[in-house]
């Protein structure tokens, strides 16, 4: 079996809002073989930029687009192909967007591998430890504490036992920050409240907020500092009264390595559409060996949701799943299967071959804005 085509498809909603929501557009990667099998993956990055990484022609042995490196290869050789892609784009890759493009390819290869074997990806990764995982509703903050309270109440009434609120207007002022978290706690009652600050503070302000938010019994404080402030996270984690979570912006095992080595976080949030299964498994083992825990990061479509479920189900430290509840057709309609928590707040791990996701081609056609490699 050989790879014949590497197809990329950019999907985008007809109207994109000014908000931090990865469900407004996406890049699908579809790998087709001479045997007729297709694997599907997704990239969580700027779609056009990641598409260029795949489309780029051969320049020299360390500067080559991913499609050129993959055509004619055996798609089952996932680890060897990861290394080939990494080496082939090392002059412009190694971190960031090139790794996210590799991750989309890697998800598609594992989907294809599972379909070829007639097995779900979690079985190929070593076996799932959970059939269902407690999920938290992941959503943005309201405009103020009152609206945030209503949002929290809505998702608790839907069956979730935890809600995470994120990003703006967090960071506007101390009064605004406290109003938002107070509202979140009021809306969620005795259930778990998670806070995603969105990289808005310096270290001392973050420590002050950690102490203030501890009075509201939050489950974790996520990304209080810049994603590049490793020293700040080490300092903060050693002093914070609440667990510190971060990592969603990191791409590849080498990006995570210094964070894990320095015990910078309590909870590492790994996005499979930025890391893939091949590196995702390495990262997961290193995190757990360090005594920390992993969760998924996922604010995207059912392709990423399925990938995260397969990966997190293999993790001994897994305890909760990020379930994006953004109201978007790319979140809810892109797959035939429904991948969302049930009325008990639990999300089921797929058991069909590969990722267990069937693309809704009508949805693909409706939101398709660019295609290459077809």
């Amino acid at each position: 079996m050989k790879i014949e085509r590497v197809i990329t498809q950019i999907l985008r909603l007809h109207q994109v809002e000014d908000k931090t929501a990865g469900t407004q557009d996406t890049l699908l990667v579809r790998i087709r073989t001479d045997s007729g099998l297709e694997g599907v993956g997704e990239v969580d990055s700027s779609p056009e930029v990641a598409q260029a990484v795949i489309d780029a022609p051969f320049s020299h042995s360390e500067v080559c687009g991913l499609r050129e490196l993959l055509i004619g290869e055996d798609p089952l050789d996932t680890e060897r192909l990861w290394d080939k892609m990494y080496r082939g784009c090392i002059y412009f890759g190694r971190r960031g967007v090139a790794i996210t493009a590799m991750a989309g390819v890697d998800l598609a290869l594992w989907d294809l591998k599972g379909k070829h074997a007639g097995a779900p990806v979690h079985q190929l990764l070593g076996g799932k430890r959970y059939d269902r995982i407690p999920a938290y509703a992941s959503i943005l903050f309201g405009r103020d504490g009152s609206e945030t309270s209503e949002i929290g109440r809505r998702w608790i009434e839907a069956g979730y036992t935890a809600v995470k609120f994120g990003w703006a207007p967090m960071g506007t002022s101390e009064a605004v920050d406290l109003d938002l978290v107070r509202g979140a706690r009021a809306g969620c009652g005795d259930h778990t409240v998670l806070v995603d600050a969105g990289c808005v503070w310096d270290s001392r302000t973050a420590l002050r907020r950690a102490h203030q938010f501890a009075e509201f019994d939050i489950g974790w404080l996520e990304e209080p500092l810049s994603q590049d402030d490793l020293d700040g996270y080490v300092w903060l984690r050693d002093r914070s009264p609440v667990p510190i979570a971060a990592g969603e912006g990191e791409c590849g095992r080498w990006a995570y390595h210094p964070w894990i080595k320095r015990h910078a976080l309590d909870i590492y949030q790994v996005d499979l559409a930025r890391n893939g299964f091949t590196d995702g498994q390495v990262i997961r083992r290193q995190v757990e060996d360090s005594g920390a825990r992993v969760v998924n990061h996922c604010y995207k479509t059912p392709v990423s949701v399925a990938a995260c479920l397969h990966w997190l189900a293999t993790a001994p430290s897994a305890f909760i799943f990020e379930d994006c509840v953004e109201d978007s057709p790319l979140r809810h309609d892109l797959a035939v299967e429904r991948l969302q928590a049930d009325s008990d707040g639990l999300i089921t791990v797929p058991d069909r071959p590969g990722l267990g996701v069937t693309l809704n081609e009508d949805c693909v056609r409706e939101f398709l804005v660019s295609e290459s490699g077809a």
Side-chain angles (χ1 to χ4, degrees), residues 166 219 261 284:
K261 184 177 180 180
R284 196 254 310 159

Side-chain angles (χ1 to χ4, degrees), residues 11-15 23-24 300-302 326-335 360 363-364 366-367:
L11 311 183
R12 181 166 289 116
L13 298 186
H14 303 312
Q15 184 174 351
T23 59
Q24 299 191 101
K300 211 68 180 165
T301 84
E326 190 76 29
D327 185 16
S328 165
L330 291 184
R331 170 64 185 94
H332 299 291
D333 301 333
L334 186 57
N360 177 353
C363 187
V364 172
E366 180 177 357
F367 297 109

Side-chain angles (χ1 to χ4, degrees), residues 70-319:
L70 293 165
I71 298 298
E73 289 283 3
D74 186 333
L76 304 182
D77 293 346
T78 47
E79 187 165 346
R80 182 179 65 80
L81 291 181
W82 181 274
D83 292 342
K84 183 180 182 181
M85 289 189 289
Y86 187 85
R87 180 67 196 213
C89 66
I90 198 168
Y91 276 19
F92 66 94
R94 297 177 52 236
R95 304 289 189 275
V97 67
I99 302 297
T100 67
M102 288 171 53
V105 168
D106 190 68
L107 297 185
L109 291 173
W110 280 89
D111 182 37
L112 206 156
K113 180 187 281 191
K115 290 172 180 174
H116 176 75
V121 169
H122 59 71
Q123 190 174 83
L124 304 182
L125 295 176
K128 66 177 179 179
R129 298 168 188 267
Y130 320 95
D131 294 319
R132 298 195 298 169
I133 303 173
Y136 68 84
S138 186
I139 193 67
L140 302 178
F141 279 112
R143 288 169 293 184
D144 54 25
S146 177
E147 187 173 77
T148 298
S149 178
E150 289 303 313
I151 293 169
R153 186 173 294 108
R154 173 190 175 187
W155 294 112
I156 294 299
E157 289 175 353
Y160 289 91
T161 58
V163 183
K164 185 177 83 178
F165 305 87
W167 292 74
M170 178 66 72
T172 306
S173 70
E174 181 175 290
V176 168
D177 295 346
L178 292 175
D179 179 52
L180 290 170
V181 177
R182 186 179 295 110
R185 170 51 66 206
C188 293
D190 294 333
H191 300 289
T192 300
V193 170
L194 307 171
V195 174
D196 181 355
C199 312
V200 292
W201 303 308
D202 60 80
S203 297
R204 291 196 180 279
T205 303
L207 181 59
R208 178 175 173 81
R209 293 293 184 276
H211 281 281
Q212 291 168 321
F213 294 170
E215 297 180 13
F216 299 102
D217 191 28
I218 66 170
W220 72 54
L221 178 58
E222 177 178 336
E223 290 208 315
L225 310 176
S226 163
Q227 292 181 344
D228 294 318
D229 191 4
L230 173 57
D231 289 338
Y233 275 101
V234 172
W235 183 90
L236 178 63
R237 189 248 176 182
D238 285 344
R239 293 162 175 79
S240 173
V242 298
I244 300 299
E248 69 181 65
E250 302 309 313
C251 306
R253 72 183 77 170
W254 294 110
Y256 279 92
H257 180 71
W259 294 77
I260 299 168
K261 184 177 180 180
R262 295 187 61 188
H263 300 270
L265 303 171
D266 298 292
I267 299 158
Y268 288 80
Q269 298 169 297
V270 183
D271 195 315
L272 270 290
R274 295 176 186 166
N275 290 276
F277 288 117
T278 299
D279 256 24
Q281 283 295 85
V282 176
I283 295 162
R284 196 254 310 159
R285 289 187 177 280
Q286 290 178 346
V287 167
E288 292 179 329
D289 286 348
S290 77
R293 295 183 291 179
V294 293
V295 297
N296 68 302
H297 171 267
C298 184
Y299 211 82
K300 211 68 180 165
T301 84
V303 177
S304 287
V305 175
C308 289
L309 281 167
H310 285 279
W311 174 78
L312 195 61
T314 70
S317 67
F319 65 103

Side-chain angles (χ1 to χ4, degrees), residues 26-49:
T26 197
L27 177 66
L28 294 180
V29 180
R30 307 175 72 156
I31 295 181
R32 294 177 182 166
T33 69
D34 57 2
S35 68
L37 281 180
E38 178 183 83
V40 178
E42 178 176 34
V43 178
D44 192 351
S45 183
S46 170
E48 281 82 0
V49 178

